[in-house]
């Protein structure tokens, strides 16, 4: 449990800083750097795109550098990104490079942390342990989103970046105190990797679509709130997303430990569908509150349950590879939804139609998950029983 405490501390401060900065980043870049809507969208799109791509190779990287040093490198990139965005904005390609570096580091940080926790937790507590890590992540996001908003209002963007830099650095340093593992991580055969990808296809698709919820917060709902209610309301409305995601990261993990992964997984998509439907019908401040809350419920639940589900079935030495493969799709989903939101908005597509598009996708995944998640779990169990190729 020592590792869980250290990583929870680290994630709290890293996401109080770098994580909470994200909803403010695109408006900041647009206002201070005179970037276009599409250019600002590209910054975070590249982060999540690179994060998704790198996750395919996390198992290979961990087998070379070890889990401990992979975690340290990943944590450092969070601090570097904040520094570059706050103090080195004169050269757009440099911003893009920082995005790519952070995406690579984030893949190692997340995958390595969840692998380490699963390796040091009793099997009957996988959901609760992963949920605890994600709870502290979202507590950091809640605190940071509010504090950064207050810093912005009182001290401008310079105050916002001072706070983000200090918090992220503190969280990054905490990773140094993680105990080194005595587990050898082998390079899996390519055939085995493709077997895992094939067996995880339904969960991967679900994570890809679940990632849309965060993309909507980062590049659609934030601009809707800013344009209709003012920048002052940004941290007072979207904070409900982080609050809900934190609660349901822990609650979803506990529930799935008791009633099963698939049923918990399935109804999370219904929450996301209802959230967008509410905002479609009620475009007022209360609609934003409820939409943010329900999107957070979907995202927090699905990511926790997916990690615990995989932990049930995959051996310790395969977890960095399997978690990387699985959660690459969540990262790609965030990237896809950020750039899609940017393209649709720049193309003049009405806000209502964008909401309906995403709501329809969430509802389709609710139906697909309800009918097929049980058979997908069975096929994965049969696959894992085969062992290495």
């Amino acid at each position: 449990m020592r590792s869980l405490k250290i990583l929870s501390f680290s994630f709290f401060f890293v996401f109080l800083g770098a994580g909470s900065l994200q909803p403010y980043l695109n408006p900041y870049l647009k206002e201070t750097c005179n970037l276009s809507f599409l250019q600002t969208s590209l910054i975070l799109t590249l982060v999540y795109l690179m994060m998704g791509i790198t996750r395919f190779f996390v198992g290979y990287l961990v087998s070379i550098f070890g889990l401990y040093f992979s975690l340290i490198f990943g944590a450092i990139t969070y601090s570097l990104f904040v520094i570059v965005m706050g103090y080195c904005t004169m050269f757009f390609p440099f911003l893009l490079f920082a995005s790519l570096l952070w995406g690579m580091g984030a893949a190692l940080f997340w995958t390595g942390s969840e692998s380490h926790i699963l390796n040091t937790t009793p099997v009957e507590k996988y959901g609760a342990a992963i949920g605890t890590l994600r709870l502290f992540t979202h507590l950091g996001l809640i605190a940071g989103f509010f504090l950064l908003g207050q810093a912005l209002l009182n001290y401008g963007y310079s105050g916002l970046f001072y706070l983000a830099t200090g918090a992220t650095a503190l969280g990054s340093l905490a990773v140094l105190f993680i105990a080194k593992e005595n587990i050898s991580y082998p390079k899996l055969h390519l055939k085995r990797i493709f077997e895992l990808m094939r067996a995880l296809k339904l969960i991967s698709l679900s994570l890809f679509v679940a990632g849309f919820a965060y993309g909507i917060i980062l590049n659609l709902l934030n601009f809707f709130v800013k344009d209709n209610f003012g920048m002052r309301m940004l941290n007072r409305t979207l904070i409900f997303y982080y609050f809900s995601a934190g609660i349901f990261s822990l609650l979803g993990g506990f529930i799935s430990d008791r009633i099963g992964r698939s049923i918990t997984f399935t109804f999370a998509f219904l929450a996301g569908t209802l959230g967008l439907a509410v905002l479609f019908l009620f475009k007022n401040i209360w609609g934003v509150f409820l939409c943010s809350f329900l999107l957070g419920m979907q995202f927090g639940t699905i990511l926790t349950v997916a990690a615990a589900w995989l932990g049930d079935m995959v051996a310790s030495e395969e977890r960095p590879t399997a978690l990387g493969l699985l959660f690459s799709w969540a990262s790609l989903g965030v990237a896809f939804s950020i750039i899609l939101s940017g393209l649709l908005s720049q193309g003049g597509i009405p806000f209502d139609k964008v909401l309906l598009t995403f709501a329809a996708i969430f509802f389709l995944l609710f139906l697909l998950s309800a009918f097929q998640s049980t058979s997908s779990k069975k096929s994965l169990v049969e696959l894992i029983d085969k062992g290495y190729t």
Side-chain angles (χ1 to χ4, degrees), residues 22 44-52 214 331-332 334-335 338:
Q22 293 175 81
L44 287 177
T45 297
L46 284 180
V47 172
Y48 288 96
L49 182 62
M50 190 63 182
M51 188 177 178
Y214 198 28
S331 304
L332 293 173
V334 176
I338 290 172

Side-chain angles (χ1 to χ4, degrees), residues 340-367:
L340 180 62
S341 299
L343 288 170
L344 291 175
S345 299
Q346 189 154 308
I349 304 299
F351 182 73
D352 279 356
K353 291 186 177 180
V354 178
L355 286 180
L356 283 178
T357 299
F358 284 116
I361 295 171
F362 287 166
F363 186 68
L364 286 174
L365 261 293
F366 162 70
L367 295 176

Side-chain angles (χ1 to χ4, degrees), residues 80-372:
L80 289 175
F81 179 82
V82 176
I83 292 170
V84 170
M85 292 297 140
Y87 311 105
C88 309
T89 55
M90 72 293 295
F91 190 46
F92 183 64
F94 193 42
L95 301 182
L96 299 182
F97 176 75
S99 298
L100 292 171
L101 188 64
W102 187 25
M104 180 185 297
L108 290 166
F109 190 54
W110 268 108
T111 307
S113 297
E114 291 183 331
S115 297
H116 186 69
I117 286 174
L118 290 171
N119 292 345
T120 55
T121 301
V123 65
E124 68 274 9
K125 295 182 179 179
Y126 281 162
I130 295 294
T132 299
L133 180 68
R134 290 189 174 274
L135 171 64
F136 276 89
T137 300
H138 289 286
L139 287 175
L141 287 166
I142 292 167
F145 195 49
F146 177 77
L147 291 172
L148 291 182
Q150 293 304 113
L152 175 61
L153 291 174
N154 293 310
Y155 304 105
Y157 282 115
S158 60
L160 180 146
F161 276 100
Y162 283 139
L163 177 58
T165 300
T168 308
L170 180 61
S172 299
L173 289 172
V175 179
L176 294 170
F177 298 95
I178 291 293
K180 295 182 180 180
E181 294 181 354
N182 293 319
I183 298 173
S184 176
Y185 293 97
K187 299 181 180 71
L188 299 187
H189 294 293
L190 190 60
K191 181 182 177 183
R192 178 60 172 167
I193 291 174
F194 281 114
E195 284 178 343
L196 287 169
M197 290 176 65
R198 186 170 63 252
L200 296 168
K201 60 182 181 295
L202 179 64
I203 305 176
S204 299
L205 174 62
S206 298
L207 281 169
F208 178 75
V209 175
F212 292 4
Y214 198 28
I216 290 168
I217 292 292
L218 294 178
N219 206 39
L220 186 65
L221 213 54
N222 55 346
F223 281 103
F224 176 77
V225 172
K226 177 179 176 292
D227 293 342
N228 290 276
F229 308 108
M231 180 66 83
R232 183 176 293 272
M233 291 302 297
L234 200 61
N235 69 335
R236 300 177 186 180
T237 52
L238 301 191
I239 197 170
F240 283 87
Y241 169 87
Y242 300 109
F243 178 71
S244 175
I247 291 175
F248 284 94
S249 289
L250 183 60
L251 186 60
F254 273 115
I255 291 172
S256 72
D257 283 340
R258 286 156 178 76
I259 69 172
R261 311 297 187 201
S262 61
I263 189 169
T264 312
F265 206 74
T266 299
F267 283 97
F269 275 115
L270 185 59
T273 306
L274 292 175
L276 295 180
V278 165
L279 188 57
F280 176 79
L281 294 172
F282 306 102
K283 295 180 187 63
N284 53 36
I285 202 69
W286 301 106
V288 175
F289 288 154
L290 191 53
C291 179
S292 298
F293 186 87
L294 291 171
L295 287 176
M297 183 188 298
Q298 172 185 292
F299 191 73
T301 299
I302 289 176
L303 267 67
T304 296
V305 175
W309 200 344
L310 187 142
D312 295 336
M313 304 166 192
V314 179
S316 298
E317 59 270 18
E318 286 192 323
R319 281 175 184 157
T321 298
L323 281 167
L325 293 172
L326 186 65
F327 281 88
S328 63
W329 295 104
S331 304
L332 293 173
V334 176
F336 177 80
S337 57
I338 290 172
I339 198 67
L340 180 62
S341 299
L343 288 170
L344 291 175
S345 299
Q346 189 154 308
I349 304 299
F351 182 73
D352 279 356
K353 291 186 177 180
V354 178
L355 286 180
L356 283 178
T357 299
F358 284 116
I361 295 171
F362 287 166
F363 186 68
L364 286 174
L365 261 293
F366 162 70
L367 295 176
L368 182 63
S369 179
F371 285 112
Q372 296 189 25

